[in-house]
Amino acid sequence: MDLRIFTEPQQGASYETLLKVAKATEDLGFDAFFRSDHYLRMGTVDGLPGPTDAWITLAGLARETRRIRLGTLMTAGTFRLPGVLAIQVAQVDQMSGGRVELGLGAGWFEEEHKAYGIPFPKEKFARLEEQLAIITGLWGTGTGEEFSYDGTYYQLENSPALPKPAQGKVPVLVGGHGATRTPRLAAQYADEFNIPFASLEDSARQFGRVRAAAEAAGRKGDELVYSNALVACVGRDDAEVARRAAAIGREVDELKANGLAGSPAEVVDKIGRYAEIGSSRVYLQMLDLDDLDHLELISTQVQSQLS
């Protein structure tokens, strides 16, 4: 089971804070550092000092780390043109020496679009499908060849399809709860399928849909990585769990029901149940980025039991 650290910087984090967490992620033996892609806080937090851009952040971290994978859950398709995004991700992949992964979603948070003057189209999912086709098509075009695409929303003519990522293939993540179109897109374009903040039952059901869609598309169901994103709140005792829950404005019982909360033994047990339904990777949503002791506890008393 791979454990990855997943952050939500729109809730309030400077680049220096993210760098500190990324370096701790690397030093403590976690597999990867991922971040959300949002420009507006959610809930009652102040969000200070303000938003940071996902791919500018990851470019900086690419030069400051050496081992961990770097990526997004999920880059909002509404924020960037697909050709530009393909260039950005390929460049950051080069800067990291081939450690980047692209999670790409349709975009959903209308308020942040209004706040920063970003168009919020109605046809988000159809646009996402074209974006996936273009980005993977650009990367898959041979050097010296050209790529063209004539879609409903995007048209590319005689693109040199440069630059190329350092990796032969940047892993692409698709995720979500949709019962039909999401599994189909994952089957066509994804190397990994991620379901965020879902129960064991809902995860098993969605994994089954994606496996079936992959097989219908001529792929093996096990060809994809299946993963979960879950909030983490781990403590050495009940008091520490309660303190960490209070720090992120959540209730312990709710976190235990919907996330990975409790003692290290409780969390190891619950991760094991996700493994039983086919999940091989968990993104630990860390909401208090100043609590590096939390990362160390998970590393020494949770991750060590899963290795």
Side-chain angles (χ1 to χ4, degrees), residues 183 193 201-215 221 226 277:
F193 178 78
E201 296 75 18
D202 288 345
S203 298
R205 187 179 304 111
Q206 190 70 333
F207 290 166
R209 291 173 180 145
V210 174
R211 288 179 184 277
E215 290 167 4
Y226 297 87
I277 63 166

Side-chain angles (χ1 to χ4, degrees), residues 1 207 211 226-228 271 274-282:
M1 176 66 73
F207 290 166
R211 288 179 184 277
Y226 297 87
S227 64
N228 290 86
I271 290 174
Y274 277 97
E276 289 172 359
I277 63 166
S279 182
S280 62
R281 181 172 290 159
V282 174

Side-chain angles (χ1 to χ4, degrees), residues 175-305:
H177 296 260
T180 304
R181 293 189 298 175
T182 296
R184 177 178 58 80
L185 273 194
Q188 186 170 0
Y189 294 107
D191 301 282
E192 178 178 338
F193 178 78
N194 177 268
I195 186 165
F197 315 117
S199 67
L200 286 158
E201 296 75 18
D202 288 345
S203 298
R205 187 179 304 111
Q206 190 70 333
F207 290 166
R209 291 173 180 145
V210 174
R211 288 179 184 277
E215 290 167 4
R219 300 177 67 182
K220 295 181 180 178
D222 290 338
E223 194 175 320
L224 284 82
V225 172
Y226 297 87
S227 64
N228 290 86
L230 295 162
V231 62
C233 182
V234 188
R236 297 172 181 84
D237 52 37
D238 290 346
E240 191 167 80
V241 175
R243 174 176 63 80
R244 289 200 163 110
I248 60 174
R250 305 279 284 271
E251 297 293 331
V252 172
D253 289 345
E254 179 268 322
L255 287 169
K256 285 189 175 185
N258 299 314
L260 298 172
S263 69
E266 288 178 287
V267 171
V268 168
D269 177 71
K270 191 163 186 181
I271 290 174
R273 282 182 273 157
Y274 277 97
E276 289 172 359
I277 63 166
S279 182
S280 62
R281 181 172 290 159
V282 174
Y283 294 81
L284 302 171
Q285 186 194 41
M286 310 301 293
L287 295 175
D288 184 355
L289 299 184
D290 294 318
D291 187 2
L292 296 185
D293 181 61
H294 195 190
L295 287 179
E296 184 173 3
L297 174 65
I298 295 171
S299 173
T300 58
Q301 296 195 33
V302 175
Q303 182 172 241
S304 61
Q305 297 188 57

Side-chain angles (χ1 to χ4, degrees), residues 26 33 57 59 95 100 144 160 173 190 247 250 276 280 300 307:
E26 184 157 87
F33 174 94
T57 298
M95 293 168 69
V100 159
L173 290 73
R250 305 279 284 271
E276 289 172 359
S280 62
T300 58
S307 300

